[in-house]
Amino acid sequence: MERTLCIIKPDAVRKNHVGDIVAMIQAAGFKVLGMQLTRISAEQAGAFYAVHKERPFYGELVSFMSSGPVVPIALEKENAVADWRALIGSTDPAEAAEGTIRKRFAASKGENAVHGSDSVENGMIEIGFFFSEKDLVANR
Ligand code: UDP
Ligand code: MG
């Protein structure tokens, strides 16, 4: 079993897509181990995306991610990281495949509805940003 982190981003929460996205997650066979409706500060968003600090879009990304409520979801499944990336679709919705979350719900490369971890190791780190192991185990 593998874990990965989903974050339903502020654009999708604002547009009331949380229910549809959770339905897609469950239909694809992911187990929801943890889920929150919360808000992150610019400082927290900056730390979460620290790997992108030198990129030109970093400032915009930090202000977007702290602009409204988000829904972090800890997911578990065999091959969770790659399967979640596949269900999300490409970063740029213009390039996202039919049936993916970003194809359906993303407005742009920046406001693209959901986050997905890019590796098993980062998935564990990112889940730890929002959830304690004790809660996740209790929900298994
Ligand atoms: N992003 C952006 N402009 C870009 C590339 C990325 O605003 O040209 C934002 C977008 O919200 C993206 C996030 O930064 O989801 C992280 O970028 P990454 O390349 O890791 O894309 P992801 O893993 O989310 O597909
Ligand atoms: Mg990424």
Side-chain angles (χ1 to χ4, degrees):
M1 277 297 164
E2 202 169 281
R3 290 178 183 176
T4 192
L5 182 72
C6 159
I7 303 175
I8 304 178
K9 296 185 179 185
D11 59 323
V13 176
R14 267 194 286 272
K15 292 187 261 182
N16 290 330
H17 294 317
V18 172
D20 288 327
I21 291 171
V22 172
M24 288 175 79
I25 287 170
Q26 294 186 313
F30 292 91
K31 181 161 180 61
V32 172
L33 291 186
M35 179 157 63
Q36 302 173 17
L37 175 64
T38 186
R39 246 185 120 114
I40 55 174
S41 66
E43 289 68 29
Q44 288 171 305
F48 186 86
Y49 281 113
V51 63
H52 294 306
K53 206 160 36 197
E54 308 305 329
R55 309 282 289 278
F57 57 81
Y58 180 70
E60 228 177 303
L61 175 60
V62 166
S63 74
F64 165 57
M65 287 302 291
S66 55
S67 69
V70 293
V71 178
I73 308 176
L75 298 175
E76 187 170 73
K77 186 183 182 299
E78 268 174 39
N79 208 32
V81 170
D83 285 1
W84 176 233
R85 296 288 321 185
L87 183 58
I88 286 177
S90 302
T91 308
D92 183 348
E95 291 164 16
E98 276 314 318
T100 61
I101 292 174
R102 281 172 171 166
K103 178 73 178 185
R104 275 185 74 185
F105 300 120
S108 68
K109 209 173 181 179
E111 306 211 352
N112 58 8
V114 283
H115 167 81
S117 308
D118 62 7
S119 68
V120 175
E121 191 193 358
N122 284 337
M124 302 301 273
I125 294 168
E126 291 178 358
I127 284 172
F129 200 88
F130 295 100
F131 301 99
S132 75
E133 183 58 27
K134 169 172 95 24
D135 293 333
L136 298 180
V137 166
N139 295 337
R140 238 155 159 262

